[in-house]
């Protein structure tokens, strides 16, 4: 008598959200099984990898990373090169320099860069700001307006500015909006409810529930991912069925293991290899926990995670 395994697909399903347009458009979410549980049911859409393109990328000093972007001077140059990175599914424009406590670059200059990138590439675009509530609110609105028709995702609306960001990005200009919270299922659910209360469609919302480099409180991330995904699938909680994106690179490249010099920590070995390891391990942890997309930086890390995804789905 042949063994027939018992499968457990769920009645609940993660919303399928489309980013971008044309042949390069991608869909994240859509599954009704736990991460990589292909023995229960097919994974509707394999997890996606986004490539971070910072407007401060010229300061990146990892040798292989510098070599990959050799000759690039403008954000559009970096984006065009990032589009050729094996494993890339979408591009993430990170406007770090807009920070009023940093370079305080103008919104107009950032918008000009975003438009130049949009004209130069065909991959879907995600926008990240500088974490300043007031500056990001203006920046997101202006970029959403300038890139109408491109079906971009803007990260992120937070409890402090969800009305401004949600209304301008999703309602006024028809873009997708990210809902950002900090490792708390109740906060994540509440923000989704508030965005839906503005009449933002659930299919226009992606969650950024918070991440951290492994070893830096990732257990909170892991438990939140588990609880969110089980509530969405097992309990059919429509307020938690939005796909999840994890901005891995911004957390992993700043920790000591990635940034400490070889002179300061000779026993730790190559700084670049350490950073790649942190990025790979954090991305893998997020994906196995339930993230539908990860944002990464280094070509070697991206290649490793792409292989990881391909072999599991």
């Amino acid at each position: 008598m042949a063994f027939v395994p018992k499968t457990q697909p769920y009645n609940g399903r993660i919303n399928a959200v489309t980013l971008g347009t044309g042949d390069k458009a991608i869909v994240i979410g859509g599954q009704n099984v736990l991460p990589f549980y292909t023995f229960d049911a097919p994974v509707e859409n394999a997890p996606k990898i986004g490539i971070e393109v910072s407007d401060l990328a010229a300061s990146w000093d990892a040798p292989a990373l510098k070599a990959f972007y050799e000759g690039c001077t403008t954000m559009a140059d970096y984006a065009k090169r990032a589009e050729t990175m094996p494993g890339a599914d979408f591009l993430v424009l990170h406007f770090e320099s807009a920070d009023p406590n940093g370079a305080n670059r103008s919104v107009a200059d950032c918008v000009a860069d975003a438009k130049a990138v949009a004209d130069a590439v065909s991959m879907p675009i995600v926008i990240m700001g500088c974490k300043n509530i007031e500056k990001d609110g203006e920046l997101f609105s202006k970029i959403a307006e300038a890139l109408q028709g491109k079906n971009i995702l803007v990260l992120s609306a937070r409890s402090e500015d969800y009305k401004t960001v949600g209304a301008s990005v999703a309602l006024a200009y028809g873009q997708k909006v990210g809902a950002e919270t900090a490792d708390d299922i109740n906060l994540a659910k509440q923000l989704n409810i508030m965005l839906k209360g503005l009449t933002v469609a659930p299919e226009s919302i992606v969650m950024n529930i918070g991440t951290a480099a492994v070893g830096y409180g990732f257990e909170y991330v892991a438990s939140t991912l588990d609880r969110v995904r089980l509530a969405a699938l097992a309990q059919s909680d429509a307020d938690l069925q939005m796909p999840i994106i994890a901005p891995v690179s911004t957390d992993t490249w700043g920790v000591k293991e990635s940034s400490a010099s070889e002179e300061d920590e000779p026993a730790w070995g190559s700084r670049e290899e350490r950073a790649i390891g942190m990025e790979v391990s954090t991305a893998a942890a997020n994906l196995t926990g339930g993230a539908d997309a990860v944002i990464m930086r280094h070509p070697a890390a991206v290649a490793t995670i792409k292989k990881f995804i391909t072999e599991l789905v």
Side-chain angles (χ1 to χ4, degrees), residues 162-167 171 192-201:
Y162 78 94
K163 289 182 180 179
T164 301
V165 175
L171 301 182
N192 290 337
I193 291 171
M194 291 190 296
L195 283 168
K196 292 200 296 183
L198 294 176
T199 69
V200 177

Side-chain angles (χ1 to χ4, degrees), residues 148-166:
Q148 282 186 86
K150 296 292 185 179
N151 195 26
I152 67 171
L153 167 65
V154 174
L155 290 176
S156 294
R158 289 152 285 196
S159 60
E160 300 91 335
D161 64 357
Y162 78 94
K163 289 182 180 179
T164 301
V165 175

Side-chain angles (χ1 to χ4, degrees), residues 2 65 71-72 82 84 136 140 232 235 264 271 302:
L65 197 56
C72 297
T84 69
D136 279 353
F140 292 159
Q235 300 172 25
D264 290 340
R271 179 161 69 99
V302 170

Side-chain angles (χ1 to χ4, degrees), residues 269-281:
S270 164
R271 179 161 69 99
E272 185 168 19
E273 290 181 7
R274 284 186 261 126
I276 293 169
M278 288 296 291
E279 190 168 25
V280 167
S281 55

Side-chain angles (χ1 to χ4, degrees), residues 5-6 40 51 87 101-102 104 165 188 191 208 210 259 292 299 307:
K6 185 177 181 180
D40 277 343
I51 310 302
N101 297 312
N104 197 24
V165 175
L191 184 53
N208 169 13
S259 60
D292 301 278
K307 183 180 179 182

